[in-house]
Amino acid sequence: MGKFLNSFLEFKNEADATRKFALFAVVIITLGLASLSVTGIVATADWSVLSFMPIMGMIIAVLGAELLATVAFIRTLTASTKLRKVAGAFIFIGLAAVGVHNAENGAKVVWPDRFAESSGSLAAKAELAGEEAGTLGTAQQAAIAGTGAELERVRVQIAELKTEQQIMASMSPEGIEKAQSLLLAQGLYFGRVDGIRQDKTESAMRARGEAIQAELATLKAREDGLMAGQASPVQQATTDKRLLQIEQADKAAAAFWAWLWLIIMLCTLEGARSLSLWALITDISSKDAQRDRDWTDELAALRHQQERAKIIAETNAAVAAYSAPPAPVVETPPTAEPAPIPEPEPLVLDEPAPPPEMTPAQRRARAGGLGNAQARAAERAKSERLILVPSFVARDAMKRAAE
């Protein structure tokens, strides 16, 4: 593990450091999204003995979809035809949607208070509170419109109760007789109407007086409320409903923006993961291709230099042979002709025996040996990054052998 970390943290240049950090970021984002997706499945699943295996299968399928989404994105960008690009885009969007939805469920487990209720439900509650406030407001307006008549009725009741209160407090026989008649009509007295304040009459008049005093207090409060503009308790109820509507609407807006932020974050992470991996693979492929091109260019340049040197050497030799002065002619004195030498008899040489002809098996073995030698030389050149230069000496030797 230590050797791996040392090798991973050893940066040759800026490009190498960028590639390694990009790979590290891709791994972290993939693990994070996968953990959120698994958490979402585990939190929303109905666990039982029979559902254990399907749930585990769903978890494995979602993890595979996370990885396959990146492959689909890369293949979409590198597709050669428009049809393949469209098909790859549909597959990537579908797989990414699966991962985002499960990750959303996992995020709701992380923030239970923020996503306890959906924005749609809160908006519906706010709308319902608004409708109730409107209904109460209509009732309030109707009550306000009848405030004058209501105030007059309350005042009439107060006046009637005060008159009755005076009768109940009367001490004259006429007043006691009127009190007995009223109490008898109200079912509060069952004696004779004789104008005499006896025990039954006294008890009934005192009880009625206390009841009148309580009713007067209620009507007085009602009169004060009407005078202050409060037609009924409807106004307070309307205010409460309006406040509830504002609170629910605010919660609905907060829940909507939290959900939108979560979706944008998950989609951004999904796209960044796929795009980073595509850029990393593209960079590695382009680096290998550039190295091959550099080797090819170096080999071509070396061959060009060799051919150029050869042409220059041949040209210089031809120019030197053409421009050299002719050799001077030296006259020699005449000499006596030598005696004729008898011609020797021609020497007859035995023809050399032709080389033995190789069998097809020997020819195949020889060709195989040459091929293996060339393959070993090419493999050695590839592993040691050598550039194979053709041997002109060997080529000339082969030409002379062929002649």
Side-chain angles (χ1 to χ4, degrees):
M1 189 65 181
K3 293 182 179 180
F4 172 76
L5 290 177
N6 293 334
S7 176
F8 183 81
L9 296 176
E10 182 181 357
F11 305 138
K12 298 180 181 179
N13 48 41
E14 183 178 356
D16 184 61
T18 303
R19 283 193 297 270
K20 289 184 177 180
F21 275 110
L23 178 61
F24 187 61
V26 167
V27 172
I28 290 178
I29 293 175
T30 303
L31 292 177
L33 292 175
S35 63
L36 280 176
S37 298
V38 173
T39 303
I41 295 175
V42 172
T44 57
D46 187 10
W47 290 90
S48 65
V49 177
L50 296 177
S51 64
F52 177 77
M53 290 302 296
I55 293 174
M56 296 304 298
M58 179 64 70
I59 292 175
I60 295 173
V62 168
L63 293 178
E66 286 286 345
L67 299 177
L68 191 59
T70 303
V71 177
F73 182 80
I74 296 174
R75 299 304 299 173
T76 300
L77 294 179
T78 58
S80 57
T81 62
K82 186 180 295 185
L83 180 61
R84 291 184 178 180
K85 288 182 179 293
V86 172
F90 273 109
I91 295 174
F92 169 72
I93 292 174
L95 294 173
V98 171
V100 168
H101 178 68
N102 289 290
E104 179 186 358
N105 293 332
K108 290 179 180 179
V109 176
V110 178
W111 296 293
D113 296 335
R114 181 176 295 182
F115 300 102
E117 195 169 359
S118 64
S119 60
S121 176
L122 293 172
K125 289 183 178 180
E127 184 178 357
L128 180 60
E131 292 177 357
E132 292 178 354
T135 303
L136 293 174
T138 303
Q140 181 185 6
Q141 295 297 327
I144 292 174
T147 299
E150 179 70 13
L151 181 61
E152 184 65 25
R153 185 182 66 81
V154 169
R155 287 177 176 176
V156 170
Q157 289 180 352
I158 292 174
E160 292 177 351
L161 289 174
K162 285 184 177 182
T163 302
E164 186 178 357
Q165 186 180 28
Q166 292 177 358
I167 294 173
M168 294 300 165
S170 178
M171 300 300 292
S172 63
E174 294 81 4
I176 293 174
E177 186 176 353
K178 288 182 179 180
Q180 288 175 340
S181 299
L182 289 173
L183 291 171
L184 185 62
Q186 295 174 359
L188 301 176
Y189 174 71
F190 301 99
R192 292 183 298 175
V193 181
D194 53 6
I196 301 174
R197 194 175 182 115
Q198 299 178 357
D199 293 338
K200 292 182 179 181
T201 302
E202 180 70 22
S203 176
M205 290 176 66
R206 186 179 295 110
R208 179 56 184 163
E210 293 176 358
I212 290 173
Q213 187 64 32
E215 291 182 11
L216 284 174
T218 302
L219 291 173
K220 184 63 177 176
R222 177 68 173 154
E223 181 185 14
D224 294 340
L226 291 173
M227 292 295 293
Q230 296 179 357
S232 65
V234 175
Q235 181 178 6
Q236 185 63 35
T238 304
T239 303
D240 294 341
K241 290 296 181 181
R242 290 297 183 189
L243 292 176
L244 179 61
Q245 180 189 11
I246 294 172
E247 181 182 358
Q248 295 292 347
D250 184 64
K251 288 182 179 179
F256 171 76
W257 287 111
W259 171 82
L260 184 62
W261 167 81
L262 176 62
I263 294 300
I264 292 176
M265 180 187 69
L266 293 175
C267 292
T268 303
L269 290 174
E270 189 74 35
R273 188 268 305 269
S274 301
L275 187 62
S276 299
L277 188 58
W278 171 76
L280 182 63
I281 294 175
T282 304
D283 183 69
I284 294 175
S285 301
S286 62
K287 182 180 178 181
D288 294 339
Q290 183 63 36
R291 184 168 57 248
D292 294 339
R293 285 194 295 269
D294 292 341
W295 288 351
T296 304
D297 294 341
E298 290 178 2
L299 182 59
L302 183 59
R303 289 178 177 175
H304 175 71
Q305 292 177 1
Q306 291 175 349
E307 294 292 336
R308 184 170 176 271
K310 178 181 177 182
I311 293 173
I312 291 175
E314 293 177 352
T315 303
N316 292 336
V319 169
Y322 180 78
S323 60
V329 179
V330 180
E331 294 183 358
T332 55
T335 57
E337 292 184 0
I341 300 173
E343 295 182 0
E345 296 182 358
L347 181 63
V348 179
L349 298 177
D350 296 334
E351 295 182 0
E357 185 177 357
M358 291 187 294
T359 62
Q362 292 175 342
R363 286 196 295 269
R364 286 193 300 268
R366 183 173 182 274
L370 293 176
N372 292 333
Q374 293 174 357
R376 286 193 298 272
E379 185 66 26
R380 178 173 173 271
K382 182 178 179 181
S383 60
E384 298 180 2
R385 297 185 177 180
L386 300 177
I387 299 176
L388 297 178
V389 180
S391 175
F392 294 101
V393 177
R395 184 194 62 184
D396 294 341
M398 291 176 65
K399 286 184 179 181
R400 285 196 299 270
E403 292 175 355

